[in-house]
Amino acid sequence: MNKSGAYIVTEFVILGFTGSWQTRILLFSLFFIIYILTMMGNGAIMCAVKWDQRLHTPMYILLGNFAFLEFWYINSTVPNILGNLLSETKTISFVGCIIQFYFFTSLAATEIIFLCIMAYDRYLAICCPLHYPTIMTLKRCYTLLSGCWMFGLLSYFPSTIQLSQLSFCGPNIIDHFLCDLDPIIALSCSPAPVTEILFYILNSLILFLPILYILGSYILLLRAVLQVPSAAGRRKAFSTCGSHLAVVCLFFGSLMIMYVSPTSENSGEVQKIITLFYSVVTPFLNPLIYSLRNKEMKAAFKKVLRITSE
């Protein structure tokens, strides 16, 4: 309690996924397997890009950094989910909740910008193939990567500080499996319309501007691909862009359903499932999507396996 006698929240209770002990053990096993496979898949991509000289090109350097991002993105959610499933108290400290919120939102923003950079790279490779080596140099690639990480990690920092200044005096139960914006603000005992509006403006800008850019680049890509005279060339171009487009649709689709549609129309369980898609399922599927139809990546994986087995 503070000096006025009001109760001050020092920890939150994250309900997570409720059910019987058997159900929670089953979910724990499922999430643990997804977590291990995701770590292994993205770790394999990072090792392949690092150890195979043939992959030291902008396209694969971007892919390796994207795998590095997904490696940390899933670590911002799944370890807490696993601990919560086995916990009886299901508590998280106030500071721990704010830190999780910061890393979860910042890494999501970084992923959005990464997808824009990868769309820009594919646009240059297909629409400007002759100028691609002089435009997308390694120096420019690393500059874009540095800007992406800086923007992502700084974009939500001021807002997170502002969120941490809100007063929380009970109740302290979050009906989610992580500390997200809406559940946290709903527990604040002091009105925070300015903070809420600033968050929604930031979310909308980070969502809509990149997706408009990606849509524009793919319209130009489609026009360029349709002008390719040979069917084999068109198939190769579509194959190059297909994996990136699949990730964009999965990630942005679930994000927009969650943050753009009225959340009051979605129950707590529906919000949890939607959040799972962009926080857990997307990092799990990315190694499969980017590697299954990529001959260079398959060859690099074989090289990594040979190195690790020696």
Side-chain angles (χ1 to χ4, degrees), residues 94-119:
F94 175 79
V95 174
C97 187
I98 295 299
I99 290 174
Q100 187 197 43
F101 170 78
Y102 166 71
F103 281 107
F104 177 68
T105 52
S106 297
L107 292 174
T110 306
E111 180 158 345
I112 289 172
I113 306 304
F114 250 106
L115 291 173
C116 287
I117 295 174
M118 294 169 82

PDB file of all heavy atoms in Angstrom, residues 94-119:
ATOM      1  N   PHE A  94       5.725  -6.886 -11.771  1.00  0.00           N
ATOM      2  CA  PHE A  94       5.349  -5.719 -12.575  1.00  0.00           C
ATOM      3  C   PHE A  94       6.473  -5.352 -13.541  1.00  0.00           C
ATOM      4  O   PHE A  94       6.235  -5.122 -14.728  1.00  0.00           O
ATOM      5  CB  PHE A  94       5.040  -4.536 -11.647  1.00  0.00           C
ATOM      6  CG  PHE A  94       4.761  -3.253 -12.370  1.00  0.00           C
ATOM      7  CD1 PHE A  94       3.523  -3.015 -12.950  1.00  0.00           C
ATOM      8  CD2 PHE A  94       5.749  -2.278 -12.489  1.00  0.00           C
ATOM      9  CE1 PHE A  94       3.269  -1.830 -13.626  1.00  0.00           C
ATOM     10  CE2 PHE A  94       5.503  -1.093 -13.162  1.00  0.00           C
ATOM     11  CZ  PHE A  94       4.267  -0.874 -13.736  1.00  0.00           C
ATOM     12  N   VAL A  95       7.713  -5.325 -13.029  1.00  0.00           N
ATOM     13  CA  VAL A  95       8.862  -4.991 -13.883  1.00  0.00           C
ATOM     14  C   VAL A  95       9.039  -6.042 -14.977  1.00  0.00           C
ATOM     15  O   VAL A  95       9.281  -5.718 -16.142  1.00  0.00           O
ATOM     16  CB  VAL A  95      10.144  -4.867 -13.037  1.00  0.00           C
ATOM     17  CG1 VAL A  95      11.364  -4.674 -13.937  1.00  0.00           C
ATOM     18  CG2 VAL A  95      10.024  -3.710 -12.057  1.00  0.00           C
ATOM     19  N   GLY A  96       8.895  -7.325 -14.604  1.00  0.00           N
ATOM     20  CA  GLY A  96       9.026  -8.399 -15.587  1.00  0.00           C
ATOM     21  C   GLY A  96       7.979  -8.301 -16.683  1.00  0.00           C
ATOM     22  O   GLY A  96       8.260  -8.569 -17.861  1.00  0.00           O
ATOM     23  N   CYS A  97       6.769  -7.900 -16.324  1.00  0.00           N
ATOM     24  CA  CYS A  97       5.679  -7.746 -17.292  1.00  0.00           C
ATOM     25  C   CYS A  97       5.988  -6.615 -18.277  1.00  0.00           C
ATOM     26  O   CYS A  97       5.808  -6.771 -19.486  1.00  0.00           O
ATOM     27  CB  CYS A  97       4.376  -7.472 -16.545  1.00  0.00           C
ATOM     28  SG  CYS A  97       2.906  -7.459 -17.595  1.00  0.00           S
ATOM     29  N   ILE A  98       6.466  -5.493 -17.771  1.00  0.00           N
ATOM     30  CA  ILE A  98       6.792  -4.359 -18.628  1.00  0.00           C
ATOM     31  C   ILE A  98       7.962  -4.710 -19.556  1.00  0.00           C
ATOM     32  O   ILE A  98       7.958  -4.362 -20.748  1.00  0.00           O
ATOM     33  CB  ILE A  98       7.132  -3.116 -17.776  1.00  0.00           C
ATOM     34  CG1 ILE A  98       5.902  -2.655 -16.981  1.00  0.00           C
ATOM     35  CG2 ILE A  98       7.632  -1.982 -18.669  1.00  0.00           C
ATOM     36  CD1 ILE A  98       4.721  -2.239 -17.828  1.00  0.00           C
ATOM     37  N   ILE A  99       8.959  -5.429 -19.037  1.00  0.00           N
ATOM     38  CA  ILE A  99      10.107  -5.827 -19.861  1.00  0.00           C
ATOM     39  C   ILE A  99       9.664  -6.780 -20.967  1.00  0.00           C
ATOM     40  O   ILE A  99      10.088  -6.645 -22.122  1.00  0.00           O
ATOM     41  CB  ILE A  99      11.196  -6.479 -18.981  1.00  0.00           C
ATOM     42  CG1 ILE A  99      11.853  -5.422 -18.091  1.00  0.00           C
ATOM     43  CG2 ILE A  99      12.249  -7.178 -19.841  1.00  0.00           C
ATOM     44  CD1 ILE A  99      12.838  -5.994 -17.087  1.00  0.00           C
ATOM     45  N   GLN A 100       8.791  -7.741 -20.612  1.00  0.00           N
ATOM     46  CA  GLN A 100       8.299  -8.662 -21.649  1.00  0.00           C
ATOM     47  C   GLN A 100       7.519  -7.907 -22.718  1.00  0.00           C
ATOM     48  O   GLN A 100       7.682  -8.169 -23.909  1.00  0.00           O
ATOM     49  CB  GLN A 100       7.412  -9.744 -21.044  1.00  0.00           C
ATOM     50  CG  GLN A 100       7.026 -10.799 -22.081  1.00  0.00           C
ATOM     51  CD  GLN A 100       5.853 -11.654 -21.667  1.00  0.00           C
ATOM     52  OE1 GLN A 100       4.863 -11.153 -21.133  1.00  0.00           O
ATOM     53  NE2 GLN A 100       5.946 -12.949 -21.928  1.00  0.00           N
ATOM     54  N   PHE A 101       6.673  -6.968 -22.286  1.00  0.00           N
ATOM     55  CA  PHE A 101       5.908  -6.173 -23.252  1.00  0.00           C
ATOM     56  C   PHE A 101       6.839  -5.426 -24.194  1.00  0.00           C
ATOM     57  O   PHE A 101       6.624  -5.394 -25.411  1.00  0.00           O
ATOM     58  CB  PHE A 101       5.006  -5.187 -22.512  1.00  0.00           C
ATOM     59  CG  PHE A 101       4.362  -4.168 -23.407  1.00  0.00           C
ATOM     60  CD1 PHE A 101       3.265  -4.499 -24.185  1.00  0.00           C
ATOM     61  CD2 PHE A 101       4.884  -2.878 -23.514  1.00  0.00           C
ATOM     62  CE1 PHE A 101       2.683  -3.565 -25.039  1.00  0.00           C
ATOM     63  CE2 PHE A 101       4.323  -1.950 -24.358  1.00  0.00           C
ATOM     64  CZ  PHE A 101       3.210  -2.290 -25.123  1.00  0.00           C
ATOM     65  N   TYR A 102       7.893  -4.826 -23.643  1.00  0.00           N
ATOM     66  CA  TYR A 102       8.823  -4.051 -24.476  1.00  0.00           C
ATOM     67  C   TYR A 102       9.492  -4.930 -25.534  1.00  0.00           C
ATOM     68  O   TYR A 102       9.505  -4.592 -26.719  1.00  0.00           O
ATOM     69  CB  TYR A 102       9.889  -3.376 -23.613  1.00  0.00           C
ATOM     70  CG  TYR A 102      11.047  -2.849 -24.427  1.00  0.00           C
ATOM     71  CD1 TYR A 102      10.879  -1.732 -25.258  1.00  0.00           C
ATOM     72  CD2 TYR A 102      12.279  -3.495 -24.427  1.00  0.00           C
ATOM     73  CE1 TYR A 102      11.922  -1.269 -26.037  1.00  0.00           C
ATOM     74  CE2 TYR A 102      13.333  -3.023 -25.203  1.00  0.00           C
ATOM     75  CZ  TYR A 102      13.140  -1.917 -26.008  1.00  0.00           C
ATOM     76  OH  TYR A 102      14.169  -1.465 -26.802  1.00  0.00           O
ATOM     77  N   PHE A 103      10.053  -6.049 -25.114  1.00  0.00           N
ATOM     78  CA  PHE A 103      10.763  -6.903 -26.071  1.00  0.00           C
ATOM     79  C   PHE A 103       9.807  -7.541 -27.076  1.00  0.00           C
ATOM     80  O   PHE A 103      10.133  -7.673 -28.261  1.00  0.00           O
ATOM     81  CB  PHE A 103      11.568  -7.979 -25.340  1.00  0.00           C
ATOM     82  CG  PHE A 103      12.869  -7.459 -24.789  1.00  0.00           C
ATOM     83  CD1 PHE A 103      13.044  -7.247 -23.435  1.00  0.00           C
ATOM     84  CD2 PHE A 103      13.924  -7.154 -25.641  1.00  0.00           C
ATOM     85  CE1 PHE A 103      14.236  -6.742 -22.934  1.00  0.00           C
ATOM     86  CE2 PHE A 103      15.122  -6.655 -25.158  1.00  0.00           C
ATOM     87  CZ  PHE A 103      15.273  -6.451 -23.803  1.00  0.00           C
ATOM     88  N   PHE A 104       8.614  -7.919 -26.630  1.00  0.00           N
ATOM     89  CA  PHE A 104       7.643  -8.520 -27.538  1.00  0.00           C
ATOM     90  C   PHE A 104       7.227  -7.538 -28.629  1.00  0.00           C
ATOM     91  O   PHE A 104       7.222  -7.875 -29.821  1.00  0.00           O
ATOM     92  CB  PHE A 104       6.420  -8.986 -26.737  1.00  0.00           C
ATOM     93  CG  PHE A 104       5.325  -9.568 -27.581  1.00  0.00           C
ATOM     94  CD1 PHE A 104       5.498 -10.775 -28.238  1.00  0.00           C
ATOM     95  CD2 PHE A 104       4.115  -8.902 -27.722  1.00  0.00           C
ATOM     96  CE1 PHE A 104       4.491 -11.311 -29.014  1.00  0.00           C
ATOM     97  CE2 PHE A 104       3.097  -9.433 -28.494  1.00  0.00           C
ATOM     98  CZ  PHE A 104       3.281 -10.639 -29.147  1.00  0.00           C
ATOM     99  N   THR A 105       6.891  -6.310 -28.237  1.00  0.00           N
ATOM    100  CA  THR A 105       6.447  -5.320 -29.226  1.00  0.00           C
ATOM    101  C   THR A 105       7.611  -4.816 -30.078  1.00  0.00           C
ATOM    102  O   THR A 105       7.458  -4.625 -31.294  1.00  0.00           O
ATOM    103  CB  THR A 105       5.774  -4.132 -28.522  1.00  0.00           C
ATOM    104  OG1 THR A 105       6.642  -3.627 -27.489  1.00  0.00           O
ATOM    105  CG2 THR A 105       4.448  -4.536 -27.903  1.00  0.00           C
ATOM    106  N   SER A 106       8.774  -4.611 -29.483  1.00  0.00           N
ATOM    107  CA  SER A 106       9.922  -4.098 -30.238  1.00  0.00           C
ATOM    108  C   SER A 106      10.408  -5.097 -31.267  1.00  0.00           C
ATOM    109  O   SER A 106      10.723  -4.728 -32.410  1.00  0.00           O
ATOM    110  CB  SER A 106      11.068  -3.742 -29.284  1.00  0.00           C
ATOM    111  OG  SER A 106      10.693  -2.711 -28.408  1.00  0.00           O
ATOM    112  N   LEU A 107      10.468  -6.372 -30.891  1.00  0.00           N
ATOM    113  CA  LEU A 107      10.898  -7.390 -31.845  1.00  0.00           C
ATOM    114  C   LEU A 107       9.865  -7.595 -32.946  1.00  0.00           C
ATOM    115  O   LEU A 107      10.224  -7.867 -34.095  1.00  0.00           O
ATOM    116  CB  LEU A 107      11.175  -8.706 -31.112  1.00  0.00           C
ATOM    117  CG  LEU A 107      12.397  -8.689 -30.180  1.00  0.00           C
ATOM    118  CD1 LEU A 107      12.490  -9.985 -29.384  1.00  0.00           C
ATOM    119  CD2 LEU A 107      13.686  -8.472 -30.971  1.00  0.00           C
ATOM    120  N   ALA A 108       8.583  -7.430 -32.615  1.00  0.00           N
ATOM    121  CA  ALA A 108       7.540  -7.505 -33.653  1.00  0.00           C
ATOM    122  C   ALA A 108       7.693  -6.353 -34.643  1.00  0.00           C
ATOM    123  O   ALA A 108       7.576  -6.544 -35.860  1.00  0.00           O
ATOM    124  CB  ALA A 108       6.151  -7.479 -33.014  1.00  0.00           C
ATOM    125  N   ALA A 109       7.966  -5.139 -34.130  1.00  0.00           N
ATOM    126  CA  ALA A 109       8.195  -3.986 -35.010  1.00  0.00           C
ATOM    127  C   ALA A 109       9.429  -4.202 -35.873  1.00  0.00           C
ATOM    128  O   ALA A 109       9.445  -3.866 -37.070  1.00  0.00           O
ATOM    129  CB  ALA A 109       8.345  -2.708 -34.172  1.00  0.00           C
ATOM    130  N   THR A 110      10.480  -4.786 -35.298  1.00  0.00           N
ATOM    131  CA  THR A 110      11.693  -5.080 -36.062  1.00  0.00           C
ATOM    132  C   THR A 110      11.391  -6.069 -37.179  1.00  0.00           C
ATOM    133  O   THR A 110      11.888  -5.925 -38.310  1.00  0.00           O
ATOM    134  CB  THR A 110      12.782  -5.668 -35.141  1.00  0.00           C
ATOM    135  OG1 THR A 110      12.987  -4.781 -34.030  1.00  0.00           O
ATOM    136  CG2 THR A 110      14.100  -5.836 -35.888  1.00  0.00           C
ATOM    137  N   GLU A 111      10.562  -7.075 -36.895  1.00  0.00           N
ATOM    138  CA  GLU A 111      10.206  -8.062 -37.920  1.00  0.00           C
ATOM    139  C   GLU A 111       9.439  -7.411 -39.067  1.00  0.00           C
ATOM    140  O   GLU A 111       9.646  -7.748 -40.235  1.00  0.00           O
ATOM    141  CB  GLU A 111       9.383  -9.192 -37.308  1.00  0.00           C
ATOM    142  CG  GLU A 111       8.979 -10.245 -38.324  1.00  0.00           C
ATOM    143  CD  GLU A 111       8.656 -11.585 -37.691  1.00  0.00           C
ATOM    144  OE1 GLU A 111       8.997 -11.809 -36.513  1.00  0.00           O
ATOM    145  OE2 GLU A 111       8.067 -12.420 -38.395  1.00  0.00           O
ATOM    146  N   ILE A 112       8.566  -6.476 -38.751  1.00  0.00           N
ATOM    147  CA  ILE A 112       7.805  -5.780 -39.798  1.00  0.00           C
ATOM    148  C   ILE A 112       8.750  -5.035 -40.741  1.00  0.00           C
ATOM    149  O   ILE A 112       8.612  -5.112 -41.967  1.00  0.00           O
ATOM    150  CB  ILE A 112       6.790  -4.810 -39.149  1.00  0.00           C
ATOM    151  CG1 ILE A 112       5.655  -5.604 -38.484  1.00  0.00           C
ATOM    152  CG2 ILE A 112       6.219  -3.853 -40.190  1.00  0.00           C
ATOM    153  CD1 ILE A 112       4.714  -4.760 -37.661  1.00  0.00           C
ATOM    154  N   ILE A 113       9.727  -4.326 -40.186  1.00  0.00           N
ATOM    155  CA  ILE A 113      10.682  -3.594 -41.018  1.00  0.00           C
ATOM    156  C   ILE A 113      11.569  -4.564 -41.792  1.00  0.00           C
ATOM    157  O   ILE A 113      11.925  -4.302 -42.950  1.00  0.00           O
ATOM    158  CB  ILE A 113      11.526  -2.635 -40.157  1.00  0.00           C
ATOM    159  CG1 ILE A 113      10.611  -1.719 -39.332  1.00  0.00           C
ATOM    160  CG2 ILE A 113      12.443  -1.794 -41.039  1.00  0.00           C
ATOM    161  CD1 ILE A 113       9.628  -0.922 -40.152  1.00  0.00           C
ATOM    162  N   PHE A 114      11.919  -5.683 -41.186  1.00  0.00           N
ATOM    163  CA  PHE A 114      12.695  -6.713 -41.882  1.00  0.00           C
ATOM    164  C   PHE A 114      11.961  -7.191 -43.128  1.00  0.00           C
ATOM    165  O   PHE A 114      12.556  -7.363 -44.203  1.00  0.00           O
ATOM    166  CB  PHE A 114      12.953  -7.901 -40.955  1.00  0.00           C
ATOM    167  CG  PHE A 114      14.389  -8.028 -40.528  1.00  0.00           C
ATOM    168  CD1 PHE A 114      14.771  -7.699 -39.241  1.00  0.00           C
ATOM    169  CD2 PHE A 114      15.353  -8.469 -41.408  1.00  0.00           C
ATOM    170  CE1 PHE A 114      16.088  -7.810 -38.828  1.00  0.00           C
ATOM    171  CE2 PHE A 114      16.670  -8.586 -41.013  1.00  0.00           C
ATOM    172  CZ  PHE A 114      17.040  -8.257 -39.720  1.00  0.00           C
ATOM    173  N   LEU A 115      10.663  -7.434 -43.000  1.00  0.00           N
ATOM    174  CA  LEU A 115       9.876  -7.901 -44.142  1.00  0.00           C
ATOM    175  C   LEU A 115       9.851  -6.854 -45.251  1.00  0.00           C
ATOM    176  O   LEU A 115       9.843  -7.200 -46.437  1.00  0.00           O
ATOM    177  CB  LEU A 115       8.460  -8.259 -43.683  1.00  0.00           C
ATOM    178  CG  LEU A 115       8.358  -9.494 -42.781  1.00  0.00           C
ATOM    179  CD1 LEU A 115       6.947  -9.654 -42.244  1.00  0.00           C
ATOM    180  CD2 LEU A 115       8.779 -10.752 -43.532  1.00  0.00           C
ATOM    181  N   CYS A 116       9.853  -5.571 -44.873  1.00  0.00           N
ATOM    182  CA  CYS A 116       9.925  -4.499 -45.880  1.00  0.00           C
ATOM    183  C   CYS A 116      11.264  -4.523 -46.615  1.00  0.00           C
ATOM    184  O   CYS A 116      11.317  -4.394 -47.846  1.00  0.00           O
ATOM    185  CB  CYS A 116       9.728  -3.134 -45.223  1.00  0.00           C
ATOM    186  SG  CYS A 116       8.056  -2.779 -44.718  1.00  0.00           S
ATOM    187  N   ILE A 117      12.360  -4.686 -45.862  1.00  0.00           N
ATOM    188  CA  ILE A 117      13.692  -4.713 -46.478  1.00  0.00           C
ATOM    189  C   ILE A 117      13.819  -5.915 -47.408  1.00  0.00           C
ATOM    190  O   ILE A 117      14.382  -5.817 -48.507  1.00  0.00           O
ATOM    191  CB  ILE A 117      14.786  -4.743 -45.391  1.00  0.00           C
ATOM    192  CG1 ILE A 117      14.761  -3.443 -44.589  1.00  0.00           C
ATOM    193  CG2 ILE A 117      16.162  -4.952 -46.006  1.00  0.00           C
ATOM    194  CD1 ILE A 117      15.709  -3.438 -43.403  1.00  0.00           C
ATOM    195  N   MET A 118      13.276  -7.057 -46.988  1.00  0.00           N
ATOM    196  CA  MET A 118      13.338  -8.255 -47.825  1.00  0.00           C
ATOM    197  C   MET A 118      12.492  -8.086 -49.085  1.00  0.00           C
ATOM    198  O   MET A 118      12.858  -8.579 -50.157  1.00  0.00           O
ATOM    199  CB  MET A 118      12.900  -9.473 -47.014  1.00  0.00           C
ATOM    200  CG  MET A 118      13.856  -9.811 -45.881  1.00  0.00           C
ATOM    201  SD  MET A 118      13.243 -11.042 -44.717  1.00  0.00           S
ATOM    202  CE  MET A 118      13.628 -12.553 -45.599  1.00  0.00           C
ATOM    203  N   ALA A 119      11.367  -7.372 -48.975  1.00  0.00           N
ATOM    204  CA  ALA A 119      10.560  -7.078 -50.155  1.00  0.00           C
ATOM    205  C   ALA A 119      11.322  -6.157 -51.106  1.00  0.00           C
ATOM    206  O   ALA A 119      11.276  -6.333 -52.337  1.00  0.00           O
ATOM    207  CB  ALA A 119       9.233  -6.439 -49.741  1.00  0.00           C
TER     208      ALA A 119
END
